[in-house]
Amino acid sequence: MAWQFWALPGRGQSYSFSHLTVDNGLSNNSILSIMQDSRGFMWFGTYHGLNKYDGYRITPYLANAKDSSAISDNSITCLYEDRQHTLWVGTHLGGLNRYDRNQDAFIHYSSESRLPYRLSGNWVTSIFEDSKGRLWVGTDYGLNLLERGARTFRIFQHNPKDATTLNSSQVYAVTENEQGEILVLTSAEHLNRYQPATGTFAPANVGGEAGQLHSARLLAQDQQGHFWAGTFERGLLRFGRGPARRYQHQPTDSGSLSRNQIKALLPTGRGELWVGTDGGGLDRYDPQHDNFTHLRTDEENSSSLSSNAVHSLFEDRSGTLWVGTFNGGVNYYNPHHNWFAHYTHQPRIANSLSNRSVLALHQTPDGGVWVGTDGGGLDVFDPQRRAFHHFRHDPTNPHSLAADVVKTLYQDRQGTLWVGTYLGGLDRYDPATGRFAHYVNDPTNPHSITNNLVWDLYEDRHGQLWVSTLGAGLCLLDRKRRNFTRFQPLTGPGSLNDYNVVTMLEDRTGQLWIGTEDRGLNLYHPRTRTFSYVQHNAKKSNSLSSNRIQVLFEDSRGRFWVGTADAGLNLLDRRTGTFRHYTTQQGLPSNIINSIVEDQAGQLWIGTNQGLARFDAARGTFKIYNREDGLQSNEFAINAALRARNGELYVGGVNGFNVFAPQALTSNPIAPPVVLTGLLVFNKPVHARQSPRLLRRHITEADTLTLSYKEAAVTFQFAALNFIDPQKNRYAYRLDGFDAEWRYVGARHEATYTNLDPGTYTFRVRATNNDGVWNQRGVALTVVVTPPWWKTIWFRVVAAVLAWSGVMGMYLRRTNRLRRRLEQEKLVEINIKKAELLEARLKYEQELAEMNQTQLENEMLNKNSELASSVMNTVHQNEALLTIKDQLKEALNDQDAQEQRKKVSRVVRQIERAITPDQHWQHFEQLFNQLHENFLQRLKTTYPQLTSRDIKLCAYLRMNLSSKEIASLMGLSVRGAEDLRYRVRKKMGLDTATNLADFILLM
């Protein structure tokens, strides 16, 4: 029978876009510019603010009239990073901004600014750095040039009277050709070529473009050296090599440009040219076929382009394509996601898959792939023509498909295709007539199929066709008689143990395994027509992991695998009858196993409800793919998987099916940059400008963080700047000085520490990309926790010194006591010996002393009498002279004649000199020391703070003179003598209760 196929316009939806919108944190959904900086961050300029993206969080930058460091305007027209890694931001009304990474702030250049921040215009249309490191800034009012090393911009503007100036001050684009010439696109109809020798401009006729650039707004150069100019209303112009050629929309040509309004151009490293149009979506130019492929928004496909107005394009270092749209946010797509061709139901396309939900897949010998759907009937897919033929249930046609829910497909050895339906029983397809023969349950016939809910089909090595049903057990078809032998569940020992049989498989040893919904495995014994059971045993860790069986599979090496509905994957050890388990702990994305298929390299592909896993059984490793990789969904259908004859794999699920070549899947080899993106103290964000005590620079640029001991809870946020499935990036971190080992935390991208002791630490982070490639170097930050003052080094030093001093003081005091006691004991011993030796000498000397005593006493008495006599004579002389002096002063007061007064005054002064106490002191001191055992010298040594007058007072006191006598000797009044005694007592440190004279006598 000849089928009619309806071919699809392309190989499914090959471009699966992810999206960022205001719901993800964007400040606005209209994207005017996109770029990736040298650190790896993505930047998006919108109609309302600048946004920085790290794969998880979006940081918006908005204008603020009260903050001079904020960006100057919210409408971001262009973004550029120069070779010095300086980020420049062009705005619509606020001029140019230079981003200061260290302070996370902006420096402004505008037409209103003073030098060196002056710019010709405030609408910045383009930014470009040439091969000599010169920065060119195009505005609505001229071109600006910042030479390398210069501080100010040089301004070029149109002068109607000078043909060597720009042909227009409205500059749209600046670029450089292969000869190093600077080309400037303006609102005029031809390019400008800069002549550096004279600083002037001349027309540039590049490849015949003259006069054809009317309404051109964009200029780009591809790898082949072609220039592409995007126009506002006249499509696309290519020039530069060979004759100029214009590309425009042709309604009758599906390979022509989709729209003539060009908003963005992007030549890629793969030779493609992406063209963003205003309303026509995204076009991809294929230079080999010289035509365009169109990507447009599809309301039925959430992975399609979000808007047909594409205003900006960018390709990052990993090859990811970023698409900025008007009102649709950011779309991004990576070529790696083009591995999986996706076919699904598209309501507006009659010749697409008949239903989104795919339940069964089977390839017939002719190469056709039969697809059973959940409500859409049966489809036949031609892989070569990418075309579908549909079989549907027709109530008016008894030979049509019995039901539109097709649960299972099987082709027996005779080439007959059997179709198991839900509610329609079993169908046999006749390819010659295109008709279906039906096998349905007849309640009156015990040899009919057990019920019409067919779940699985399998032909054993004896050619018997087994049919499992949902709710009625198992039956065996006799093809010749067209009747069934029923195996009723739970009828006694050896009977089938469950009404719901999900799957069946005969292994290479001839054993037929039957997987049930809730009661584990049944093993059929044909001789006795009975069943034995393999079930989960909670007391045995190596038993079957669950009784809920969904998949049975035997691989090319004869290994028998059992997939469960809730406990992962089991590998049977045939020798011991035990099972080895693989679950999420070993790397599966889910413990729900829905399908297994083996590729030509011997690797298993396991469909779950959380993605598709490639399993290398020899290594025990898993590689996970999910919807972001281009899969139809993360949920796959039970046993809807096959390996085609050409080695491609088909996997079906809730949103159609995927086709892919396993050997074509490559890994992302790029180790991602790792950056710190945020810092929180007590869950509050910390910024360098607001908290310079903690951070001198923005956390991304910082090398040191300083915390006080009070800031006990700190959270570090970090990111691996890999935007290919960033949710698959994995992290490890460690705080040197606190953590003994690295902490491997999976996809979690923050770390919190509390109650850190004062000290210096180093916080380190390393990360993988989506394919597990580690950046081992990562990023590091020195963390200094300052102690309280009582734990500072200086305090500890002082405390240690004081403690040491105290200990040493106690030690020295104890040592001195011991030393003095030992010295005293030794001195006693020596004195005893001396006493014994001196006793005899004393007897001798006693007699001699008695003889000399009388003589010595007489001499001392004489000297003492001499000293006393000398002192008293001096006292009496002074008293007499003082009396005469007082009388002369009295007489002097009575004298009237001035001359006589002078004479009397001279006499008074002579008397005063005569009674000075120093005249007799030298003789007195010598004599006094002889009598008093050198007392004066001892006094000076003991109390060095005493003056000579203080020494004299002490000597007179030791002679027991009265205050009046002392006053006379020293030329003082009696009161003056008393005051002197008081001061001497203070200098000697005596308290008020101690009499100075008594103390002197006892010395």
Side-chain angles (χ1 to χ4, degrees):
M1 177 183 177
W3 293 335
Q4 182 180 1
F5 283 91
W6 291 270
L8 292 174
R11 192 186 182 201
Q13 175 64 40
S14 298
Y15 296 91
S16 178
F17 287 97
S18 299
H19 308 101
L20 295 173
T21 67
V22 291
D23 294 336
N24 306 106
L26 277 177
S27 61
N28 186 266
N29 274 339
S30 294
I31 314 300
L32 296 173
S33 52
I34 303 176
M35 71 150 292
Q36 183 179 34
D37 68 16
S38 54
R39 303 294 194 275
F41 290 102
M42 293 302 303
W43 294 82
F44 310 118
T46 76
Y47 274 106
H48 189 73
L50 178 65
N51 299 261
K52 181 173 69 174
Y53 179 53
D54 63 14
Y56 307 102
R57 288 177 288 269
I58 296 175
T59 303
Y61 295 87
L62 300 175
N64 184 348
K66 296 180 180 180
D67 185 359
S68 61
S69 64
I71 199 162
S72 62
D73 182 40
N74 282 331
S75 184
I76 312 301
T77 55
C78 49
L79 296 166
Y80 194 89
E81 187 180 47
D82 64 24
R83 294 186 185 90
Q84 307 300 317
H85 306 309
T86 300
L87 176 63
W88 298 89
V89 183
T91 70
H92 184 216
L93 296 175
L96 182 68
N97 293 257
R98 175 164 57 88
Y99 179 57
D100 182 347
R101 280 191 173 88
N102 289 332
Q103 296 302 314
D104 198 31
F106 295 89
I107 299 161
H108 307 154
Y109 299 77
S110 71
S111 61
E112 292 85 12
S113 299
R114 296 180 179 179
L115 293 175
Y117 306 107
R118 178 77 53 79
L119 204 66
S120 65
N122 288 337
W123 177 12
V124 177
T125 56
S126 61
I127 307 172
F128 177 75
E129 184 183 25
D130 65 22
S131 58
K132 296 180 180 178
R134 299 175 298 187
L135 189 72
W136 299 84
V137 180
T139 74
D140 62 331
Y141 200 61
L143 181 64
N144 301 261
L145 170 61
L146 184 64
E147 298 274 4
R148 184 185 292 273
R151 297 182 66 247
T152 60
F153 281 96
R154 183 180 178 186
I155 296 174
F156 301 95
Q157 293 175 314
H158 172 61
N159 183 349
K161 299 179 180 180
D162 187 351
T164 64
T165 62
L166 284 171
N167 58 11
S168 171
S169 290
Q170 177 69 62
V171 177
Y172 289 127
V174 183
T175 189
E176 184 176 14
N177 64 16
E178 295 174 335
Q179 292 74 40
E181 295 178 321
I182 303 302
L183 303 178
V184 183
L185 176 66
T186 69
S187 59
E189 293 190 352
H190 62 73
L191 287 172
N192 297 262
R193 185 179 70 250
Y194 177 62
Q195 301 178 109
T198 60
T200 60
F201 293 86
N205 185 7
V206 184
E209 56 76 32
Q212 299 189 52
L213 291 177
H214 176 67
S215 80
R217 299 291 187 269
L218 305 168
L219 191 63
Q221 187 176 22
D222 63 22
Q223 288 187 327
Q224 290 74 37
H226 296 113
F227 282 98
W228 296 83
T231 72
F232 180 67
E233 57 187 0
R234 299 180 63 189
L236 193 61
L237 179 69
R238 186 182 69 187
F239 60 92
R241 291 198 172 181
R245 180 176 176 186
R246 187 174 298 278
Y247 295 86
Q248 291 183 306
H249 173 64
Q250 303 295 333
T252 59
D253 183 1
S254 61
S256 69
L257 197 65
S258 62
R259 279 287 180 93
N260 289 331
Q261 292 76 32
I262 310 301
K263 302 294 289 187
L265 293 173
L266 177 65
T268 71
R270 297 180 296 276
E272 304 167 317
L273 175 71
W274 291 96
V275 183
T277 72
D278 194 6
L282 180 63
D283 284 6
R284 174 183 171 272
Y285 175 69
D286 182 355
Q288 292 184 348
H289 298 92
D290 194 34
N291 62 8
F292 293 88
T293 301
H294 314 300
L295 302 181
R296 296 188 178 94
T297 184
D298 179 0
E299 294 179 359
E300 303 295 331
N301 183 3
S302 60
S303 297
S304 69
L305 204 63
S306 62
S307 169
N308 287 329
V310 175
H311 284 197
S312 53
L313 295 167
F314 186 83
E315 183 181 44
D316 70 16
R317 289 190 286 274
S318 70
T320 296
L321 175 67
W322 297 83
V323 182
T325 68
F326 180 78
N327 279 342
V330 176
N331 298 246
Y332 57 101
Y333 150 80
N334 191 276
H336 293 294
H337 294 174
N338 205 23
W339 296 320
F340 300 98
H342 178 205
Y343 298 91
T344 188
H345 174 62
Q346 300 176 61
R348 298 182 182 180
I349 303 177
N351 56 356
S352 67
L353 188 67
S354 60
N355 186 277
R356 285 183 181 274
S357 182
V358 171
L359 300 178
L361 292 166
H362 180 79
Q363 187 177 36
T364 52
D366 60 2
V369 176
W370 293 69
V371 183
T373 72
D374 188 8
L378 181 62
D379 288 359
V380 184
F381 176 65
D382 183 345
Q384 298 298 321
R385 299 165 60 186
R386 299 191 299 277
F388 286 95
H389 176 77
H390 307 300
F391 293 95
R392 300 296 299 269
H393 170 64
D394 182 357
T396 65
N397 181 3
H399 303 294
S400 69
L401 188 67
D404 281 337
V405 178
V406 176
K407 184 61 185 68
T408 184
L409 297 165
Y410 195 88
Q411 191 169 27
D412 63 23
R413 293 184 182 86
Q414 300 172 7
T416 302
L417 181 68
W418 297 88
V419 182
T421 72
Y422 188 82
L423 298 178
L426 178 66
D427 278 9
R428 185 186 75 242
Y429 176 68
D430 183 350
T433 64
R435 295 182 174 185
F436 293 90
H438 310 305
Y439 297 78
V440 295
N441 174 255
D442 180 358
T444 64
N445 181 6
H447 299 290
S448 67
I449 192 170
T450 54
N451 72 15
N452 293 329
L453 308 179
V454 177
W455 205 254
D456 195 25
L457 299 168
Y458 194 83
E459 184 184 28
D460 64 21
R461 64 181 57 192
H462 303 294
Q464 303 177 104
L465 185 66
W466 294 84
V467 183
S468 76
T469 63
L470 189 66
L474 192 63
C475 55
L476 190 61
L477 174 64
D478 184 332
R479 294 181 181 85
K480 293 181 179 179
R481 298 180 180 180
R482 291 178 56 85
N483 61 22
F484 292 85
T485 301
R486 298 181 179 182
F487 293 85
Q488 295 292 340
L490 304 175
T491 57
S495 66
L496 188 69
N497 72 350
D498 197 334
Y499 285 97
N500 298 317
V501 174
V502 178
T503 185
M504 298 173 287
L505 177 71
E506 185 181 39
D507 66 20
R508 61 180 57 187
T509 67
Q511 291 183 316
L512 180 65
W513 296 85
I514 299 165
T516 69
E517 188 175 54
D518 291 303
R519 296 179 180 271
L521 293 170
N522 287 235
L523 189 59
Y524 179 62
H525 304 286
R527 291 183 180 179
T528 60
R529 297 174 66 84
T530 60
F531 299 88
S532 59
Y533 317 117
V534 178
Q535 294 180 309
H536 171 66
N537 185 340
K539 296 181 180 180
K540 294 183 179 181
S541 61
N542 57 0
S543 71
L544 190 66
S545 64
S546 170
N547 287 330
R548 300 183 62 193
I549 310 302
Q550 296 202 140
V551 184
L552 299 174
F553 186 81
E554 187 175 38
D555 65 22
S556 57
R557 295 180 58 184
R559 292 174 296 196
F560 187 74
W561 302 89
V562 181
T564 71
D566 57 0
L569 185 65
N570 295 256
L571 172 61
L572 173 65
D573 185 333
R574 297 181 190 272
R575 183 177 57 84
T576 62
T578 59
F579 292 88
R580 180 178 179 180
H581 306 151
Y582 297 88
T583 66
T584 54
Q585 293 183 348
Q586 284 73 44
L588 274 169
S590 168
N591 288 330
I592 301 175
I593 309 300
N594 291 330
S595 62
I596 304 175
V597 64
E598 184 180 16
D599 66 21
Q600 291 175 322
Q603 304 219 350
L604 300 183
W605 293 81
I606 303 169
T608 73
N609 72 335
Q610 290 296 325
L612 182 66
R614 182 181 66 191
F615 180 41
D616 186 335
R619 298 180 179 179
T621 58
F622 294 88
K623 173 72 172 67
I624 311 303
Y625 299 88
N626 53 31
R627 183 177 177 277
E628 284 71 24
D629 293 301
L631 294 178
Q632 51 82 31
S633 168
N634 286 335
E635 183 172 355
F636 291 84
I638 297 175
N639 291 312
L642 68 88
R643 186 177 80 197
R645 287 169 174 76
N646 63 358
E648 289 186 324
L649 300 186
Y650 287 67
V651 285
V654 298
N655 189 27
F657 66 91
N658 293 108
V659 184
F660 64 98
Q663 68 276 11
L665 273 66
T666 57
S667 296
N668 176 8
I670 303 174
V674 184
V675 294
L676 297 176
T677 59
L679 174 70
L680 289 82
V681 174
F682 292 115
N683 289 324
K684 293 183 178 180
V686 174
H687 303 286
R689 283 191 294 145
Q690 285 78 28
S691 304
R693 179 182 63 81
L694 302 182
L695 284 174
R696 294 184 179 180
R697 293 185 286 178
H698 186 263
I699 187 64
T700 302
E701 307 297 319
D703 54 12
T704 302
L705 167 66
T706 303
L707 301 169
S708 77
Y709 71 98
K710 295 180 181 179
E711 291 154 336
V714 57
T715 298
F716 302 97
Q717 296 173 333
F718 40 84
L721 299 181
N722 165 60
F723 303 100
I724 306 174
D725 296 340
Q727 72 276 6
K728 295 182 182 179
N729 298 341
R730 295 295 180 263
Y731 297 92
Y733 65 81
R734 173 178 176 173
L735 186 64
D736 291 349
F738 184 87
D739 293 322
E741 303 290 341
W742 284 90
R743 300 188 187 192
Y744 291 87
V745 293
R748 182 158 59 89
H749 46 275
E750 67 176 30
T752 298
Y753 290 90
T754 59
N755 299 320
L756 291 176
D757 292 332
T760 300
Y761 306 85
T762 302
F763 180 66
R764 303 182 188 277
V765 185
R766 56 192 189 190
T768 74
N769 65 9
N770 57 303
D771 281 322
V773 177
W774 281 95
N775 179 336
Q776 296 287 1
R777 183 177 180 182
V779 66
L781 177 71
T782 299
V783 180
V784 178
V785 181
T786 60
W789 63 268
W790 62 87
K791 289 187 178 181
T792 57
I793 293 177
W794 65 265
F795 179 83
R796 291 181 177 179
V797 169
V798 171
V801 170
L802 291 175
W804 180 83
S805 300
V807 172
M808 288 303 297
M810 294 174 62
Y811 170 77
L812 291 175
R813 285 196 297 274
R814 183 176 180 184
T815 303
N816 288 337
R817 285 198 299 270
L818 292 172
R819 180 176 55 79
R820 285 196 298 269
R821 188 175 69 183
L822 291 173
E823 288 177 349
Q824 288 173 356
E825 291 175 354
K826 188 173 182 180
L827 183 61
V828 168
E829 182 181 354
I830 292 174
N831 288 339
I832 292 174
K833 291 182 179 180
K834 285 184 177 181
E836 292 173 353
L837 293 173
L838 292 176
E839 186 175 0
R841 183 177 178 182
L842 287 174
K843 290 181 180 179
Y844 169 76
E845 291 181 349
Q846 185 175 4
E847 296 176 356
L848 182 61
E850 291 176 351
M851 293 175 60
N852 294 331
Q853 181 67 31
T854 304
Q855 181 180 353
L856 180 61
E857 289 178 352
N858 290 334
E859 290 179 358
M860 294 295 292
L861 182 60
N862 291 336
K863 290 183 178 180
N864 194 38
S865 298
E866 181 183 355
L867 179 62
S869 175
S870 172
V871 168
M872 294 310 298
N873 286 338
T874 303
V875 169
H876 293 154
Q877 176 185 343
N878 287 348
E879 288 178 349
L881 289 173
L882 287 171
T883 301
I884 295 170
K885 185 187 77 168
D886 291 340
Q887 293 174 354
L888 287 173
K889 283 185 176 181
E890 183 179 351
L892 183 62
N893 292 333
D894 296 335
Q895 292 293 327
D896 295 329
Q898 184 175 1
E899 186 63 30
Q900 290 179 350
R901 282 185 177 182
K902 291 181 179 180
K903 292 180 181 180
V904 175
S905 295
R906 281 196 297 271
V907 174
V908 170
R909 285 194 295 273
Q910 290 174 359
I911 292 173
E912 287 177 344
R913 286 194 295 272
I915 63 175
T916 55
D918 294 332
Q919 291 178 344
H920 71 289
W921 177 255
Q922 186 174 2
H923 175 68
F924 173 85
E925 184 179 12
Q926 182 178 4
L927 188 60
F928 186 89
N929 279 329
Q930 291 177 359
L931 290 172
H932 294 277
E933 300 176 348
N934 209 21
F935 171 79
L936 297 178
Q937 185 60 39
R938 286 189 289 111
L939 186 65
K940 293 177 183 178
T941 303
T942 305
Y943 300 101
Q945 67 270 31
L946 297 179
T947 66
S948 59
R949 174 175 284 194
D950 299 337
I951 297 295
K952 292 175 185 178
L953 174 66
C954 294
Y956 295 148
L957 288 173
R958 192 171 178 85
M959 291 180 65
N960 203 22
L961 298 180
S962 66
S963 296
K964 182 178 181 182
E965 291 169 339
I966 292 172
S968 176
L969 285 169
M970 298 186 70
L972 301 172
S973 65
V974 175
R975 178 62 181 270
E978 292 295 333
D979 289 343
L980 182 60
R981 290 178 66 161
Y982 173 78
R983 288 194 296 273
V984 170
R985 186 170 62 251
K986 293 284 286 185
K987 291 181 180 180
M988 296 176 70
L990 304 179
D991 56 28
T992 56
T994 303
N995 185 278
L996 178 62
D998 293 341
F999 182 79
I1000 295 296
L1001 290 172
L1002 293 174
M1003 286 185 65

